[in-house]
Amino acid sequence: MAASDKSVDDSLYPIAVLIDELKNEDVQLRLNSIKKLSTIALALGEERTRSELIPFLTETIYDEDEVLLALADQLGNFTSLVGGPEYAMYLLPPLESLATVEETVVRDKAVESLRTVAAEHSALDLEIHVVPTLQRLVSGDWFTSRTSACGLFSVCYPRVTQPVKAELRANFRKLCQDETPMVRRAAANKLGEFAKVVETEYLKSDLIPNFVQLAQDDQDSVRLLAVEACVSIAQLLPQDDVEHLVLPTLRQCASDSSWRVRYMVAEKFVDLQKAVGPEITRVDLVPAFQYLLKDAEAEVRAAVATKVKDFCANLDKANQMQIILSSILPYVRDLVSDPNPHVKSALASVIMGLSPMLGAYQTVEQLLPLFLIQLKDECPEVRLNIISNLDCVNDVIGIQQLSQSLLPAIVELAEDSKWRVRLAIIEYMPALAGQLGQEFFDQKLRGLCMGWLNDHVYAIREAATLNMKKLVEQFGAPWAEQAIIPMILVMSRNKNYLHRMTCLFCLNVLAEVCGTEITTKLLLPTVLLLAADPVANVRFNVAKTLQKISPFLEASVIDSQVKPTLDKLNADADVDVKHFAAQAIAGIAAATLKNGNL
């Protein structure tokens, strides 16, 4: 008997320790204990968890926010530990308390767990236990409980009886009219979600008036959330009802005095367009879209500019081209020269997508002049967005027309007197080469890329070197062997030592992408030749290059050609040359040893 009591005591000892930790002054200990709640519950068993652990947690709910957050998270997965769905109501009291605390993240997590637990209740238990919890939160003295209540309506409503549904709709209306802006904001945030579970007749009679009221609220933070609800409501109603019940409010939001509300309309515009259908779009949304494209606030113009392509793509195909040409493009032309760089950049990221909709003729006539302006824009982001999306236009008008129209502008930028402009074009070149193809690149752009290697600005030469590597990755080592390596090797004989050094820098990066055969046959002989260069800077770069390309050479080549050259450099009269040669010898030896061990 004593042995049996001892085993019981032993089994309960860890639980006692964990419960003591829950009362400990150290926050970290309490947090760790909360994270082990499932272990405590398993050890206690379902009945003791319901009768002892849950009441204990409910009573001691005053703690640091991070502890409360962990508790709210744990309780959402506790249903099986209290005995399954028929006992899920035991989890409601602690979660209800957590849903009323001041810290928003704790409340949000508590509501999330309440939704999970509510869904596990039977329909009868939901009405008996969850709905009263919701009603207590709705009538709470503090705004915190009322904001939390807003998140529970959509979970409860579909599974309760008609009289209770009427009560819930009345409670939601009460929250929409609450004197505290935070509560109205929470109601507006959940209005669309609630609308999806409410019957159509009550949606029109009860929720639409709430929506209209929230969209006219004196707080812009409430009005902008009503815009989100607008999308959900429009999706649920027939076209005629949308026109009469939703559109007047939508028009009002699109011209709201607060830029944040107009910004939200711009963000949700394509979703609204899909919800209301092509006819309402043509009559009502096109004018609203135009209004937003010329908004006084740059943030709004930038937001709506990113929607230009998708909005046009979703227009009725029968009238698409006509609407784009007559109603959208005139406003787009103004945005191309907008004073705000973010607006221009946003437009440049999508404007190319209009080409497939307009076809070859209209692209050449209407869009190419705009692309040319954007290619010459002072903002690098605008130029990048245009060059990055050239393939959209290429597919429509063909490479020949594209090269005739835009290539002169690209070449002009590549030779710009400002080195930062030249640098920007170099960075775009691999993307451009990939879109235009190898043959076109060889004919029109290869000379430009080689010219950058001889630029008088070091940053340009460095970028041009990395550009070569990316081009070889794009077109392959055989192309490099035929097209660019011979031209780079010629630089090793240039009278200007800077060009000879650039040659070495190129060989450094090309070895990585050209493979052992090309490196041994074409690149290495030139590097070895430059080991006797009269300029010390070139010689010590030879030492650095030999170390960098050695992983791409066979061991016999390293022993017969690389090491003797490095030994000579190690005996050089110049201190720097000797230093880098010694460093290279040590580096190659370490790499050889490592490979041998592998």
Side-chain angles (χ1 to χ4, degrees):
M1 184 72 180
S4 172
D5 287 346
K6 188 175 185 306
S7 69
V8 170
D9 289 344
D10 288 347
S11 70
L12 292 178
Y13 177 70
I15 302 157
V17 171
L18 285 169
I19 288 177
D20 280 345
E21 284 179 1
L22 282 172
K23 297 178 179 177
N24 197 290
E25 289 183 9
D26 187 334
V27 175
Q28 192 58 48
L29 272 176
R30 297 202 302 275
L31 186 59
N32 292 342
S33 191
I34 288 290
K35 289 179 178 175
K36 295 175 192 167
L37 270 182
S38 56
T39 309
I40 302 176
L42 280 169
L44 284 171
E46 294 168 358
E47 189 177 339
R48 288 191 68 191
T49 297
R50 296 195 299 270
S51 62
E52 294 176 33
L53 182 60
I54 298 298
F56 169 74
L57 292 171
T58 308
E59 288 163 16
T60 57
I61 227 143
Y62 308 101
D63 207 328
E64 299 289 334
D65 293 334
E66 57 185 323
V67 177
L68 296 181
L69 180 62
L71 177 59
D73 186 37
Q74 290 280 319
L75 290 174
N77 305 310
F78 238 63
T79 303
S80 61
L81 298 170
V82 294
E86 62 267 36
Y87 296 102
M89 71 285 296
Y90 283 88
L91 297 172
L92 297 177
L95 286 170
E96 182 181 345
S97 295
L98 287 166
T100 64
V101 301
E102 195 172 341
E103 178 55 48
T104 307
V105 289
V106 177
R107 292 202 310 272
D108 289 347
K109 182 56 74 174
V111 170
E112 186 184 319
S113 293
L114 273 170
R115 287 166 66 99
T116 304
V117 171
E120 292 169 329
H121 282 69
S122 66
L124 181 61
D125 285 341
L126 190 79
E127 241 177 77
I128 296 171
H129 299 287
V130 181
V131 171
T133 300
L134 170 55
Q135 288 169 334
R136 282 194 299 275
L137 289 170
V138 169
S139 56
D141 291 335
W142 291 95
F143 79 89
T144 52
S145 68
R146 303 198 297 276
T147 56
S148 294
C150 297
L152 298 176
F153 284 88
S154 61
V155 184
C156 297
Y157 190 87
R159 298 170 60 206
V160 295
T161 56
Q162 288 301 328
V164 178
K165 283 184 175 181
E167 279 181 46
L168 292 181
R169 292 195 302 273
N171 281 330
F172 194 81
R173 179 165 60 252
K174 182 180 169 186
L175 294 174
C176 290
Q177 297 167 352
D178 196 277
E179 62 183 18
T180 311
M182 284 79 86
V183 178
R184 300 199 301 276
R185 194 157 62 228
N189 194 27
K190 297 297 179 183
L191 179 60
E193 183 185 280
F194 189 35
K196 289 175 183 175
V197 298
V198 172
E199 302 84 349
T200 306
E201 62 175 300
Y202 298 119
L203 172 62
K204 290 195 271 190
S205 65
D206 290 21
L207 261 62
I208 297 267
N210 294 340
F211 161 65
V212 172
Q213 189 175 19
L214 290 168
Q216 295 171 350
D217 197 275
D218 59 355
Q219 298 282 325
D220 64 353
S221 60
V222 176
R223 300 199 301 274
L224 67 87
L225 289 169
V227 174
E228 290 195 51
C230 184
V231 177
S232 301
I233 292 170
Q235 289 169 339
L236 297 166
L237 292 173
Q239 296 292 299
D240 289 347
D241 288 335
V242 170
E243 196 163 351
H244 296 108
L245 299 174
V246 178
L247 271 182
T249 304
L250 176 59
R251 288 191 204 104
Q252 172 194 312
C253 289
S255 57
D256 195 277
S257 58
S258 167
W259 73 266
R260 296 202 300 160
V261 177
R262 303 196 303 275
Y263 177 88
M264 185 59 76
V265 174
E267 278 288 299
K268 300 290 175 186
F269 213 91
V270 175
D271 296 331
L272 286 164
Q273 178 191 18
K274 290 174 182 174
V276 303
E279 187 55 32
I280 291 177
T281 294
R282 186 179 63 79
V283 175
D284 289 283
L285 292 199
V286 169
F289 197 70
Q290 292 172 328
Y291 188 85
L292 292 170
L293 284 169
K294 58 185 177 68
D295 196 275
E297 288 293 333
E299 285 86 350
V300 178
R301 297 198 302 278
V304 78
T306 61
K307 307 294 178 188
V308 165
K309 175 191 164 188
D310 291 340
F311 180 74
C312 293
N314 287 302
L315 291 169
D316 181 33
K317 294 294 180 275
N319 304 308
Q320 186 185 51
M321 186 181 292
Q322 185 260 325
I323 292 173
I324 294 172
L325 291 174
S326 63
S327 304
I328 306 297
L329 265 185
Y331 294 86
V332 167
R333 283 193 193 95
D334 291 339
L335 290 188
V336 166
S337 51
D338 194 275
N340 188 287
H342 297 297
V343 176
K344 292 186 288 187
S345 178
L347 180 65
S349 67
V350 297
I351 190 171
M352 297 295 212
L354 296 178
S355 294
M357 301 173 216
L358 293 180
Y361 177 76
Q362 294 295 353
T363 295
V364 173
E365 289 293 309
Q366 306 289 343
L367 295 181
L368 279 184
L370 303 182
F371 300 159
L372 277 170
I373 294 169
Q374 290 172 307
L375 266 179
K376 295 176 182 178
D377 196 275
E378 62 187 14
C379 174
E381 195 71 27
V382 175
R383 300 195 298 265
L384 174 60
N385 286 340
I386 290 295
I387 286 175
S388 301
N389 293 289
L390 279 177
D391 51 335
C392 295
V393 184
N394 186 17
D395 293 341
V396 175
I397 65 173
I399 194 67
Q400 204 60 40
Q401 178 69 56
L402 186 67
S403 64
Q404 287 173 10
S405 307
L406 298 184
L407 197 66
I410 294 169
V411 171
E412 187 181 328
L413 288 170
E415 296 169 344
D416 195 277
S417 59
K418 294 186 178 71
W419 70 268
R420 291 185 190 276
V421 176
R422 302 199 298 280
L423 184 63
I425 288 294
I426 295 173
E427 288 165 357
Y428 307 150
M429 193 53 70
L432 192 59
Q435 292 174 40
L436 300 178
Q438 181 185 315
E439 185 182 345
F440 183 86
F441 177 83
D442 283 343
Q443 288 176 10
K444 307 284 186 180
L445 299 173
R446 188 177 67 191
L448 267 181
C449 292
M450 296 307 302
W452 285 323
L453 291 172
N454 297 324
D455 198 278
H456 64 278
V457 177
Y458 173 74
I460 299 294
R461 298 197 300 274
E462 183 183 37
T465 301
L466 293 172
N467 181 48
M468 286 296 164
K469 179 186 173 185
K470 291 174 184 173
L471 290 171
V472 176
E473 287 171 342
Q474 191 94 254
F475 295 141
W479 170 81
E481 186 178 2
Q482 296 295 320
I484 61 168
I485 290 176
M487 299 170 77
I488 290 170
L489 297 182
V490 168
M491 293 169 66
S492 68
R493 300 189 291 275
N494 196 290
K495 290 179 182 178
N496 187 329
Y497 85 97
L498 291 173
H499 293 189
R500 302 199 295 276
M501 283 177 61
T502 303
C503 172
L504 283 172
F505 298 151
C506 284
L507 302 185
N508 265 336
V509 296
L510 289 179
E512 295 175 38
V513 287
C514 285
T516 301
E517 186 184 344
I518 292 176
T519 301
T520 307
K521 184 175 71 174
L522 296 177
L523 310 188
L524 181 60
T526 300
V527 179
L528 297 175
L529 190 68
L530 288 169
D533 197 275
V535 177
N537 277 21
V538 177
R539 297 199 301 279
F540 76 63
N541 273 292
V542 166
K544 290 163 78 172
T545 301
L546 287 172
Q547 184 181 351
K548 282 188 180 176
I549 70 172
S550 63
F552 312 102
L553 298 171
E554 291 178 358
S556 59
V557 175
I558 293 173
D559 289 336
S560 63
Q561 297 184 57
V562 174
K563 286 182 178 176
T565 303
L566 285 173
D567 288 338
K568 282 181 187 174
L569 292 172
N570 200 22
D572 197 278
D574 188 275
V575 176
D576 289 330
V577 176
K578 287 176 74 171
H579 168 74
F580 285 108
Q583 206 173 57
I585 291 167
I588 292 171
T592 305
L593 184 63
K594 185 180 176 183
N595 292 335
N597 290 338
L598 291 173

